Amino acid sequence: MSANELIVGIDLGTTNSCIACVLDGDVHVIPDESDSTLQASVVAFLDDGSVIVGNEAQNEVVVDPINTVVSAKRLIGRSFASSAVQRAIQDLPYRVVKGDALQPFIGIRGQRYALPEISGMVLRRMKDIANRYVGNEIKSAVVTVPANFNDTQRQMTKLAGELAGLNVVRVINEPTAAALAYGYGHNVNARVAIYDFGGGTFDLTILDIRGNIFEVLATAGDGHLGGDDFDIRLVKSLARAFEEQHGVSLDGDKIAYARLNHVAEKTKFELTETDQAIVNVKALASSSSGEALDLKFRLDRAGFMSHCQDIAQRTFLVCDEALRAAGLKASDLDQIILVGGSTRVPMVRDMVSKYFGKKPLTDINPDEVVAVGAAIQGAALAEDHFAGSPDQPRPLLLDVAPQSLGLASVDDYYEVLIEKNAQIPCERTQIFTTGKDGQTAVKIRIFQGEQDTVSRNTALGEIELYGLKAAPRGEVQIEVAFEIDANGIVVVRAKDLATGLEQATRLRVSAGYGEDELTAMKARYKE
Amino acid sequence: MTEASQKLAQLALGKSTARYSGLVCAGPHIGAQFYSAMATCNLVVETVDDVSKVVQSVGSKTRLVVLGDHIGQDRLSDICQRLRRLEHSHKVAILVFSNAFSEREFASRQQQIWNVDLCLPKTTPKDFLIEKLSTALVDRRPIAELGCLTIGIANEIDEVLSRIHTGDYYTILGVPATADSTQIRALFHKHAQVLHPDRHRSRAAQYGRTLQRLAHAYKRLSEIHSVLTSNTKRREYDLCLISATSLRHEPEKLPQSMKLELELCKTTDARIAVVESLIARMTGHWKAAYKAMHAAVSAEPDNFPLRDKAESVKKVYMLCAASHSVSNGNWS
């Protein structure tokens, strides 16, 4: 605690990141040396051993895709075995390897990097930008994550901050941050939906804003749906077109695919402005005789739409779910706010207007709004910046649990303890006892997700209650409190009911890192 | 050895470097923590048992007078006024050690009526005490300037927590049972503005254990809010509440088996406890049911039929609890 604690807000995005802070009551979106407020979330490992991060690394994505990490957020905190990681491995040109506890690592130039290390490098870059702007060292930050991030993903994001030398005082949901940026200081009294369609994820969050209170009513998301899907679709049709033109298949040519990816993204942007785009790639591959082959392809907006409509359509299944959870109809909403780069696609905007029956709000900058909201929350937590003004009281966020939290019960049945969309921080207690005489330890397996059987949910880890008093079965009773804190992170505490004393617990996180690994990691990034 | 404990040791050995003294008339509730905080701030502690002697005990080296709320409010303001009239009063800081006043009450009295410099709740953690005292005494800055916000919040938490353990959800939240969800939400928001842990993050160091109690109170309110604003959950809760109320007030309408159980009791204490247990059993709260039976048995330890009944409740409760342990089959 200090009088001039500055807590910045960082939007750590799949493709781009952004940083903002509140200085003297005004929100500043912080530009880098070349006046850009957006940084590519890219880390490039050069052959001379140096590492470059951000916009300057962007070039390496095309030149040296195998040694350049993009979209690290798609992998962070996930299990190597998950379908998301398996799919990402197909799309991403760099090598992803499996760790001992099923954590994914990135293998580059004979080195192994954990995902929090990569994200940590991006965060450090953001921190440096802010340090330069503010003229002081930034120590604390609010970092945003997609609303559907689970416990492990949030913990790993926090760890990334720590590796970057930042105290992550709060992890908040991107859509909630956007709502804060939209509503704070404007005395809004409305029900709003945040339609957040980013590069890799889609979330719909419904909030009720009453002056300075921002209460999330429900949130739903699809972690495998994003603007990248448009690119992938486009890349596929470009590759097919190339094959048709020249009779040469691009399969297995990672460099050609990386270039196509780049072109596809650009074409997508172009088609948001114009009705037609011409793709022209020189020397994409060579023929069997060694002759360089170019790709020429003409695409119009209608063609692109028919290609990708089903992807955008999938977002509305998520919208249905969120509305159901909030007990509302689409027409009950007063305002729709678009966040995320993919909402720039005109087709998406049209479809959103049709679904909700009203025109969405588009005059806020979808790239910066999340960082702005995070900065406002940071200032609210630091308190001093907002203290004492009665016409602008500090904002208060009431967010919800992203996914249900539960335990393994009989026959691997999943018993939900904390329901999805329960307001956080919240806590539920459960009593456990021993099943054998003289037993001194009990293990509890915890999961997150909405399926009936534990095997179809995400394993968060195992809690071990140990050092119990040896006694006949059933005599020792331990009350375990499961808490989801304001960060959306699970905290477990246990109490011996007979003595009222805190009971020792150990929480082993699945897809997490061992103590040794963590210590080594932290030591490495201590400068 | 920390600096604080070094000074404590010095004091104990009579080699104190303290130049000033602190006069304490705060009754038995003032804890060891407070004394050691004063010692850390270089104050020799003098205690005064007789309230009427406080003013005359103030000497030229007195820098701090600590008064407890056992003195009574009228007397308190009288003593403060007399202290202020003393010749060297400008050097004396007056501190009231009390849980009895809300933040607003204190703020209005502090300056105008009592002329007190600081009012702290008895739960104030030691580190915060030291910080406050040393700023006031060592740096010679008036304490009142530093402000004091903890009492009001401590009171509010106490109030909410005391209700949480007694009343039903409507009483706890402070709404009539007929309130609609808009009213319930508005009231919850009002509580949240004050009690949400985010509101207190930057002052966490001052709170000590109070912060945990505050978080606990908030989480309970939030849970209640979630039940009362969900149509299905609220209907379920209301049904339980109705049957519980009729159980309390019209025991003659109970089913035969429950009546028999009540008739086992010979004392009112046991009967009340058994009613509580029956209510808990109806709502599936076996832990509470068992605890209540336990209370009934302690009221009538020789009532063996009652003991048997309690034993069977305990069995069901254990069974409920055990279903978890068995299902988690990994034993070490």
Side-chain angles (χ1 to χ4, degrees):
Chain A
M1 178 191 67
S2 83
N4 45 16
E5 179 187 21
L6 178 62
I7 304 178
V8 297
I10 305 178
D11 170 13
L12 178 62
T14 309
T15 3
N16 289 304
S17 296
C18 182
I19 184 164
C21 69
V22 175
L23 293 173
D24 303 322
D26 289 324
V27 184
H28 296 236
V29 179
I30 306 177
D32 69 357
E33 303 81 357
S34 44
D35 232 21
S36 164
T37 52
L38 278 189
Q39 284 297 313
S41 305
V42 175
V43 180
F45 296 84
L46 305 184
D47 44 13
D48 62 358
S50 61
V51 181
I52 51 174
V53 186
N55 292 345
E56 19 164 6
Q58 188 68 287
N59 196 35
E60 299 298 314
V61 177
V62 187
V63 178
D64 190 7
I66 293 164
N67 295 313
T68 306
V69 184
V70 296
S71 302
K73 199 176 170 183
R74 289 177 67 180
L75 304 170
I76 197 166
R78 293 190 192 268
S79 158
F80 188 84
S82 68
S83 61
V85 170
Q86 287 306 318
R87 266 181 34 167
I89 290 174
Q90 307 245 302
D91 302 338
L92 300 168
Y94 52 83
R95 225 160 64 86
V96 183
V97 293
K98 187 165 74 174
D100 302 334
L102 277 184
Q103 343 74 314
F105 279 91
I106 288 163
I108 280 182
R109 298 192 191 280
Q111 281 276 31
R112 231 170 54 144
Y113 297 93
L115 268 306
E117 294 183 68
I118 303 288
S119 296
M121 291 175 197
V122 177
L123 286 175
R124 185 171 288 271
R125 167 78 180 129
M126 302 316 286
K127 179 185 166 180
D128 290 343
I129 291 172
N131 284 348
R132 181 182 150 273
Y133 186 82
V134 179
N136 263 320
E137 204 201 336
I138 306 290
K139 294 198 179 76
S140 311
V142 170
V143 179
T144 62
V145 294
N148 59 21
F149 254 28
N150 70 19
D151 178 69
T152 320
Q153 289 168 304
R154 283 164 202 264
Q155 294 214 37
M156 292 302 143
T157 304
K158 248 189 132 174
L159 174 62
E162 212 176 303
L163 295 178
L166 284 169
N167 169 25
V168 179
V169 293
R170 178 63 50 85
V171 174
I172 65 168
N173 295 330
E174 284 154 13
T176 319
L180 204 49
Y182 156 77
Y184 184 64
H186 299 103
N187 201 20
V188 174
N189 282 294
R191 276 200 199 109
V192 300
I194 313 287
Y195 182 94
D196 182 358
F197 200 8
T201 55
F202 172 73
D203 295 314
L204 188 91
T205 299
I206 299 167
L207 288 108
D208 190 31
I209 307 177
R210 298 275 155 235
N212 70 324
I213 295 197
F214 293 73
E215 184 181 2
V216 177
L217 300 178
T219 183
D222 185 334
H224 314 316
L225 178 61
D228 291 351
D229 290 310
F230 292 135
D231 301 350
I232 292 165
R233 201 54 79 76
L234 214 51
V235 165
K236 275 192 187 139
S237 56
L238 289 177
R240 210 178 313 123
F242 184 83
E243 204 175 331
E244 277 164 21
Q245 277 170 30
H246 302 290
V248 174
S249 168
L250 293 173
D251 287 351
D253 187 345
K254 284 202 163 178
I255 302 216
Y257 267 100
R259 288 183 68 192
L260 280 185
N261 227 327
H262 189 66
V263 169
E265 203 185 334
K266 268 173 104 177
T267 312
K268 181 178 72 179
F269 290 155
E270 214 176 318
L271 283 174
T272 65
E273 309 278 324
T274 61
D275 282 336
Q276 218 179 61
I278 292 164
V279 179
N280 203 342
V281 190
K282 289 252 179 293
L284 184 61
S286 42
S287 66
S288 47
S289 58
E291 176 197 356
L293 299 172
D294 302 346
L295 169 70
K296 273 210 182 90
F297 191 69
R298 181 199 294 265
L299 191 70
D300 58 11
R301 198 187 270 182
F304 174 67
M305 271 177 67
S306 64
H307 242 83
C308 299
Q309 196 164 21
D310 62 308
I311 297 173
Q313 200 60 49
R314 272 166 62 200
T315 63
F316 298 110
L317 295 177
V318 178
C319 296
D320 288 343
E321 187 195 330
L323 283 167
R324 212 169 27 241
L328 296 172
K329 297 187 296 293
S331 55
D332 293 334
L333 299 169
D334 302 311
Q335 188 68 264
I336 319 297
I337 299 164
L338 299 182
V339 186
S342 304
T343 58
R344 285 218 175 83
V345 177
M347 170 185 70
V348 172
R349 293 190 173 185
D350 293 345
M351 288 168 79
V352 169
S353 307
K354 210 176 281 165
Y355 178 87
F356 289 102
K358 54 178 66 74
K359 267 205 152 354
L361 194 78
T362 52
D363 55 357
I364 46 175
N365 184 334
D367 296 320
E368 293 174 358
V369 64
V370 171
V372 168
I376 292 173
Q377 172 68 352
L381 291 173
E383 183 178 41
D384 304 302
H385 300 272
F386 284 111
S389 143
D391 49 307
Q392 188 149 310
R394 278 194 286 156
L396 182 64
L397 278 191
L398 305 175
D399 217 323
V400 298
Q403 295 176 18
S404 298
L405 178 79
L407 313 170
S409 166
V410 194
D411 290 336
D412 270 4
Y413 182 76
Y414 178 60
E415 187 184 344
V416 173
L417 266 183
I418 298 179
E419 282 167 37
K420 178 181 176 159
N421 288 325
Q423 224 172 62
I424 52 173
C426 64
E427 187 179 293
R428 302 285 182 271
T429 57
Q430 191 79 269
I431 294 161
F432 293 88
T433 182
T434 49
K436 277 185 193 162
D437 294 341
Q439 184 183 344
T440 56
V442 177
K443 264 184 203 161
I444 305 158
R445 291 183 291 147
I446 57 173
F447 294 83
Q448 228 170 5
E450 317 306 321
Q451 308 297 328
D452 288 342
T453 53
V454 291
S455 54
R456 287 160 68 207
N457 289 309
T458 316
L460 285 191
E462 252 179 19
I463 302 151
E464 198 184 346
L465 308 172
Y466 60 97
L468 303 179
K469 190 179 69 186
R473 59 170 289 198
E475 201 132 286
V476 182
Q477 287 158 46
I478 311 293
E479 186 182 74
V480 183
F482 298 85
E483 182 187 355
I484 298 189
D485 72 5
N487 296 307
I489 289 176
V490 180
V491 183
V492 180
R493 273 174 293 113
K495 196 170 75 181
D496 189 325
L497 279 183
T499 60
L501 294 175
E502 284 276 309
Q503 172 64 45
T505 53
R506 244 192 307 253
L507 176 62
R508 254 195 300 271
V509 181
S510 309
Y513 303 93
E515 282 297 319
D516 306 348
E517 266 171 314
L518 277 179
T519 330
M521 235 188 266
K522 282 174 192 164
R524 213 168 14 215
Y525 294 93
K526 237 184 150 187
E527 270 162 310
Chain B
M1 199 185 240
T2 65
E3 202 185 343
S5 53
Q6 241 165 18
K7 284 193 175 137
L8 258 181
Q10 277 176 355
L11 270 182
L13 292 168
K15 288 186 224 153
S16 167
T17 54
R19 287 165 299 163
Y20 301 113
S21 58
L23 207 61
V24 176
C25 180
H29 295 298
I30 183 164
Q33 289 234 332
F34 197 94
Y35 286 117
S36 77
M38 286 175 75
T40 313
C41 296
N42 262 347
L43 282 170
V44 176
V45 181
E46 292 171 38
T47 50
V48 184
D49 294 330
D50 188 350
V51 183
S52 56
K53 297 205 173 113
V54 171
V55 180
Q56 65 195 70
S57 306
V58 174
S60 60
K61 286 202 161 188
T62 309
R63 280 287 175 274
L64 176 75
V65 176
V66 184
L67 301 169
D69 54 4
H70 67 298
I71 297 171
Q73 299 202 11
D74 292 342
R75 208 119 172 244
L76 206 58
S77 68
D78 174 52
I79 292 175
C80 291
Q81 278 169 22
R82 281 165 57 201
L83 281 171
R84 286 296 175 221
R85 281 202 293 269
L86 289 176
E87 192 187 340
H88 35 254
S89 69
H90 60 283
K91 292 180 207 146
V92 180
I94 306 173
L95 187 153
V96 175
F97 205 46
S98 163
N99 282 347
F101 314 108
S102 79
E103 188 182 321
R104 196 166 299 137
E105 265 176 337
F106 175 69
S108 63
R109 283 174 199 204
Q110 174 177 302
Q111 296 296 325
Q112 292 150 19
I113 308 174
W114 297 344
N115 219 339
V116 167
D117 293 301
L118 184 67
C119 183
L120 291 172
K122 290 169 187 165
T123 49
T124 312
K126 186 180 155 192
D127 290 346
F128 183 61
L129 262 177
I130 294 175
E131 189 193 314
K132 287 283 177 197
L133 293 180
S134 58
T135 323
L137 301 161
V138 180
D139 304 345
R140 297 278 187 90
R141 267 206 280 147
I143 319 180
E145 213 179 75
L146 304 170
C148 173
L149 291 155
T150 49
I151 324 157
I153 292 156
N155 278 352
E156 180 144 0
I157 299 163
D158 282 344
E159 201 190 311
V160 170
L161 281 178
S162 67
R163 276 185 289 165
I164 272 171
H165 292 304
T166 55
D168 60 274
Y169 286 3
Y170 297 99
T171 322
I172 295 170
L173 211 54
V175 291
T178 51
D180 63 19
S181 53
T182 322
Q183 285 169 295
I184 289 169
R185 285 190 55 211
L187 223 102
F188 171 67
H189 284 176
K190 220 182 98 197
H191 283 299
Q193 297 266 26
V194 181
L195 291 175
H196 196 288
D198 279 2
R199 283 280 184 261
H200 308 280
R201 197 194 79 89
S202 58
R203 271 184 263 140
Q206 302 172 20
Y207 284 20
R209 244 197 255 125
T210 309
L211 195 71
Q212 283 159 23
R213 301 182 60 221
L214 179 129
H216 175 65
Y218 177 75
K219 282 183 279 196
R220 274 296 282 161
L221 282 180
S222 162
E223 194 184 337
I224 289 169
H225 165 244
S226 78
V227 170
L228 295 188
T229 49
S230 144
N231 283 341
T232 37
K233 284 189 198 159
R234 183 172 175 182
R235 210 173 305 130
E236 242 172 62
Y237 178 78
D238 284 349
L239 276 176
C240 288
L241 203 62
I242 290 165
S243 28
T245 321
S246 68
L247 192 56
R248 269 199 196 93
H249 301 296
E250 304 162 299
E252 66 280 2
K253 284 191 185 163
L254 290 175
Q256 193 58 28
S257 64
M258 290 188 180
K259 266 192 210 162
L260 283 175
E261 192 171 333
L262 269 179
E263 280 160 13
L264 291 176
C265 306
K266 294 180 184 69
T267 61
T268 326
D269 280 357
R271 196 163 299 133
I272 291 171
V274 169
V275 168
E276 288 306 320
S277 175
L278 287 170
I279 294 169
R281 273 177 254 170
M282 286 169 71
T283 53
H285 290 99
W286 286 93
K287 180 180 162 190
Y290 162 60
K291 274 192 170 169
M293 283 312 276
H294 191 74
V297 170
S298 4
E300 293 178 23
D302 298 330
N303 189 338
F304 289 99
L306 192 65
R307 286 203 130 161
D308 287 347
K309 202 74 217 169
E311 204 50 45
S312 63
V313 173
K314 184 179 173 184
K315 264 187 200 137
V316 181
Y317 161 57
M318 294 302 225
L319 220 64
C320 294
S323 70
H324 288 292
S325 73
V326 176
S327 64
N328 283 285
N330 297 314
W331 310 117
S332 0

